[in-house]
Amino acid sequence: MKYFPINCAKYQNKGCNKYLILLHGWGSSSVIFNKYINELKNDFNIIAFDLYGFGQSVDPKPFFDTYEYAVQIYLYLQSRGVSEVYIFAHSFGGRIAIILSSLFGLNVKKMVLTGCAGIKPRRSLMYYLKVKLYKFRKKFGINNYDEFGSDDYKNSNSVMKRVLVRVVNQELEYLLDDVNCNTLLVWGSEDNDTPLYMYKKILHGIDSARGVIIRGAHFAAFTHMYLCNNKIREFLLYD
């Protein structure tokens, strides 16, 4: 497997053998974790990744999907002799975390997932009508994905658009049974990107999962850090 260089911020804690890896969501970067890093850097060696296509990392290759992102993170850790980790992941980063904790020979001790994606969304009738209209127009050579695509899609370059289409169509619920680490879910009660039914599926799908719901939307764990920090820190260090 080929390793593609990735940018990450590293915070070394001499004498500590615990590694915490941070995986951000689509359209974000490692800086979203900065306040948490300040709270946790005395207890862990921290690796905060800029996932390919975001922050200071290069764009992924056009063939990338969620699994390839996970492979690259695994290869990075393996190349540095890191085989035991704690994970804190948001949204798209949660997809990667689920794969890392279920399909690889990586010893994930504990995992925090907030606004985690990867569960099949419930679609409205209007959605399916739009899909039919898109396919009808495409049949006649009308390239209209930009008209129907999400904001993430519209804001992406051509390579990232191709990758995003693959990512959003990869459902990971089938892997939840194979996640064996203690997992804390932190969710916003008004999250429209990954609604509460997704939270419930992950909570019931991972045997060792527990959940915390706070008032807020998709970035609730970051916009209301004062509500989450102690719960996350206590979970990672003591529970």
Side-chain angles (χ1 to χ4, degrees):
M1 291 181 287
K2 183 175 180 180
Y3 168 66
F4 299 97
I6 189 170
N7 183 71
C8 59
K10 296 184 285 291
Y11 301 83
Q12 299 294 328
N13 186 348
K14 292 182 179 179
C16 177
N17 59 359
K18 294 181 179 179
Y19 282 84
L20 173 65
I21 67 171
L22 307 178
L23 303 170
H24 63 80
W26 195 272
S28 186
S29 73
S30 60
V31 299
I32 196 171
F33 288 105
N34 279 354
K35 290 182 179 179
Y36 282 106
I37 290 170
N38 287 334
E39 296 292 330
L40 295 166
K41 65 185 179 182
N42 292 326
D43 301 297
F44 293 94
N45 296 295
I46 297 177
I47 305 174
F49 289 96
D50 279 340
L51 298 173
Y52 298 100
F54 306 106
Q56 297 181 49
S57 285
V58 298
D59 280 353
K61 300 300 179 182
F63 62 82
F64 264 51
D65 61 4
T66 316
Y67 296 93
E68 187 62 37
Y69 272 93
V71 166
Q72 293 299 319
I73 298 297
Y74 176 73
L75 291 177
Y76 176 93
L77 296 172
Q78 192 177 52
S79 70
R80 283 152 181 81
V82 178
S83 59
E84 182 177 293
V85 297
Y86 296 72
I87 299 177
F88 183 2
H90 175 242
S91 196
F92 169 58
R95 290 178 182 265
I96 299 170
I98 288 173
I99 295 171
L100 286 172
S101 59
S102 60
L103 294 181
F104 292 89
L106 189 63
N107 183 7
V108 179
K109 302 295 289 182
K110 292 182 182 179
M111 184 162 63
V112 178
L113 303 177
T114 177
C116 179
I119 302 300
K120 184 178 181 179
R122 296 172 181 170
R123 300 299 193 185
S124 66
L125 176 61
M126 182 58 68
Y127 170 84
Y128 290 106
L129 290 174
K130 286 183 176 180
V131 170
K132 284 187 176 293
L133 178 58
Y134 165 77
K135 290 181 177 178
F136 176 80
R137 294 176 65 176
K138 184 179 180 181
K139 183 178 179 180
F140 291 94
I142 303 172
N143 184 357
N144 56 166
Y145 205 104
D146 282 333
E147 181 180 343
F148 293 99
S150 66
D151 288 340
D152 280 339
Y153 182 87
K154 294 173 184 176
N155 294 330
S156 298
N157 62 31
S158 59
V159 171
M160 295 303 286
K161 283 178 179 177
R162 293 170 65 181
V163 174
L164 178 60
V165 170
R166 289 194 200 93
V167 164
V168 298
N169 286 299
Q170 290 174 320
E171 297 160 14
L172 303 176
E173 189 173 352
Y174 80 100
L175 292 175
L176 298 180
D177 279 342
D178 296 318
V179 176
N180 298 314
C181 61
N182 288 337
T183 302
L184 176 67
L185 307 183
V186 180
W187 230 267
S189 59
E190 293 134 35
D191 189 337
N192 293 321
D193 295 290
T194 52
L196 282 176
Y197 68 81
M198 296 187 179
Y199 160 86
K200 292 175 182 177
K201 285 199 171 186
I202 298 173
L203 183 65
H204 295 138
I206 299 175
D207 287 340
S208 55
R210 69 186 82 170
V212 176
I213 298 175
I214 60 173
R215 187 170 183 178
H218 191 51
F219 289 87
F222 302 97
T223 56
H224 299 296
M225 181 186 168
Y226 62 94
L227 292 175
C228 304
N229 180 57
N230 286 341
K231 296 181 186 300
I232 291 173
R233 191 170 184 276
E234 287 175 8
F235 169 76
L236 289 173
L237 291 174
Y238 308 117
D239 286 3

